[in-house]
Amino acid sequence: MKVTSLSTDQYLDLKRQFQLHKLPFKEDVDLSIHCSFKIGGVCPVVAEPESTEQILETLAIFQKLEIPWKILGGGTNVLISDHPNDLVVVRLSGAFKHFVELEEGVFKIGAATNTTPVFRQISLFGYTGAEFLSTIPGWTGGAVIQNAGCYGGELFDLLTEVEFLRDGEIFRLGPADIKHGYRTTEFLERKDSIILSIKMKLVKGTLSEIEESLKDKRDRRNSSQPKNKRSAGSMFKNPKIFDESQKEIKAWQLIDKSGLRGLYKGSAQISPEHCNFIVNTGGAKASDVAYLVEVVQEKVKKDSGVLLEREVEYFGSVP
C-alpha cells in the first residue's frame, strides 16, 4: 500500500493552530526512543495534550484540517513505521501521568502512567491482587486496550471503571459493559477511542507476602524473556489449542517446530532464547520485523495448520 505523506503546508497549518490555541506539541520526534523495540522513524509533529479539554481541542483541529492521527502510549506492544510521516502522533501528558487513592483500596489511575512502577507502588501500599501488573511494561491506557495480563491474571479482572473518550463524548463504563476477552477489547477495533483513566478496587494483604509475590513474578518474567530487551514482548497470541493430553500448545512451540528459532532478516531476529519474541539486534527496521512475522505465519500455517495471530500492533504504515 502506497503511503501518502502529509504535506509541508498541512504541518505548517497544524503548528499554527496548535500555537494559536496554546496546545503543547513537539516537532521532529524520533519515535524509536518511545518504544521498547527501539524501531521507528521521525514524526514531524507529536501532540501532547495535558487534559481532556486539550484532547478535544486537538481532535477538533485534526478534523478541521483533515489530518489523520494515532495515539502512542508506552510503546511496549507496537511496531512503529519506518516512515511515520503520514499521520500525527498523540501522546497524553500532564494529568494523565498521575494516580490517586480516592478512598481505601480504590484507585484512579491515569492512562499515561507507567504500569511497572505504578502497580509496584500500589502493591507496596499493602494492597494485593495487582502484583502481576508490575511485570507488564508500558502505559496503563495500553494495558486497558490489550486487556494486559500474565500469571493467570488480567487487568479487566480488577477494573471497576474505564473512562474514555469516543466521538467527542466521555464514557465511564464498568468491565461488564465493555467487550473484552483474552488479550483483546473493543478498543482494538474502535481506534477512535482514547483511554483517559481507570478505577480499580483492591483489598489489603500481608506486606511480606505481597513483597514475595512481586519478587516471584519479577524473577519469572526475567527468566522467561530474552536478555535482549529490544522487543515488543510476545509477537503472537497463543492460539488456544490443545494436544491429545489437553495440554495447551503455545505459539513458541509451533514456531520452534517449524525450525524458525534464530532466523534473521537484516538486524531483526527471531529470538534464539524465546522464539515468540522478535528482537532488534541493532538498527533493525520495521520492514525487517514485518518480513519475519510473515515468514512465521506462512511456515507455521503450512507445517501445523495454525494461522498465528499477531499480538503486537503495527503503528502507522508497516512495512
Side-chain angles (χ1 to χ4, degrees):
M1 182 179 65
K2 183 176 175 57
V3 176
T4 303
S5 301
L6 296 182
S7 68
T8 301
D9 286 344
Q10 284 177 297
Y11 281 122
L12 288 174
D13 287 344
L14 180 62
K15 288 187 282 189
R16 278 194 288 264
Q17 287 294 317
F18 280 172
Q19 290 164 347
L20 178 64
H21 292 270
K22 298 182 179 179
L23 296 172
F25 71 96
K26 290 180 180 176
E27 297 182 62
D28 299 324
V29 178
D30 178 2
L31 295 185
S32 69
I33 67 174
H34 293 302
C35 71
S36 57
F37 243 140
K38 303 307 176 190
I39 293 174
V42 173
C43 185
V45 174
V46 174
E48 296 187 327
E50 298 176 351
S51 65
T52 303
E53 292 73 21
Q54 286 190 351
I55 295 176
L56 291 170
E57 286 185 88
T58 299
L59 296 183
I61 291 170
F62 291 158
Q63 184 174 17
K64 175 183 176 182
L65 300 179
E66 298 183 341
I67 288 179
W69 58 274
K70 192 171 178 64
I71 285 276
L72 177 62
T76 55
N77 200 52
V78 296
L79 175 65
I80 297 176
S81 169
D82 296 322
H83 37 71
N85 55 2
D86 57 332
L87 49 75
V88 173
V89 170
V90 178
R91 297 191 87 224
L92 301 188
S93 188
F96 303 107
K97 287 190 166 294
H98 303 289
F99 77 96
V100 63
E101 186 174 8
L102 299 174
E103 56 185 88
E104 186 171 342
V106 177
F107 293 88
K108 181 177 181 180
I109 304 168
T113 53
N114 286 302
T115 50
T116 295
V118 163
F119 288 106
R120 177 173 175 79
Q121 188 173 349
I122 288 173
S123 298
L124 292 176
F125 286 163
Y127 293 103
T128 189
E131 295 96 322
F132 71 93
L133 289 168
S134 72
T135 70
I136 299 175
W139 285 8
T140 297
V144 172
I145 291 169
Q146 295 281 343
N147 188 17
C150 58
Y151 311 129
E154 293 182 339
L155 178 59
F156 268 71
D157 296 337
L158 304 175
L159 294 179
T160 59
E161 179 183 281
V162 178
E163 180 186 31
F164 62 96
L165 189 65
R166 179 183 289 169
D167 295 330
E169 184 178 353
I170 296 175
F171 294 86
R172 296 180 180 89
L173 299 179
D177 298 313
I178 299 171
K179 182 182 175 184
H180 66 278
Y182 171 71
R183 303 297 179 271
T184 187
T185 68
E186 64 183 65
F187 301 116
L188 284 172
E189 302 166 8
R190 292 295 303 264
K191 303 295 186 182
D192 57 339
S193 303
I194 299 177
I195 309 300
L196 303 176
S197 69
I198 61 170
K199 286 183 183 177
M200 62 168 55
K201 183 172 176 58
L202 300 171
V203 297
K204 280 285 189 179
T206 303
L207 187 56
S208 60
E209 293 178 356
I210 291 171
E211 290 174 337
E212 181 60 32
S213 176
L214 288 168
K215 182 180 184 302
D216 173 65
K217 289 174 174 58
R218 183 175 66 250
D219 290 346
R220 288 169 66 186
R221 171 70 67 169
N222 290 337
S223 66
S224 67
Q225 295 195 354
K227 293 183 178 65
N228 179 353
K229 300 299 184 182
R230 288 178 293 189
S231 77
S234 297
M235 180 58 68
F236 300 98
K237 297 179 182 180
N238 289 321
K240 294 300 179 182
I241 58 175
F242 302 86
D243 63 18
E244 293 178 356
S245 63
Q246 293 304 301
K247 185 176 181 180
E248 185 178 1
I249 299 172
K250 304 291 189 179
W252 74 264
Q253 293 173 303
L254 298 175
I255 298 168
D256 203 23
K257 180 182 176 182
S258 287
L260 298 173
R261 183 186 293 267
L263 181 67
Y264 271 97
K265 175 64 168 72
S267 295
Q269 182 188 27
I270 297 174
S271 173
E273 297 172 276
H274 191 321
C275 53
N276 194 15
F277 284 65
I278 294 177
V279 295
N280 174 10
T281 64
K285 301 292 186 182
S287 55
D288 298 330
V289 176
Y291 173 86
L292 291 177
V293 167
E294 188 172 336
V295 168
V296 168
Q297 289 178 318
E298 290 180 354
K299 188 74 163 60
V300 169
K301 177 66 174 175
K302 179 181 177 182
D303 294 345
S304 302
V306 178
L307 180 60
L308 291 177
E309 182 183 355
R310 267 193 295 109
E311 186 168 328
V312 173
E313 180 185 359
Y314 285 0
F315 190 97
S317 300
V318 176

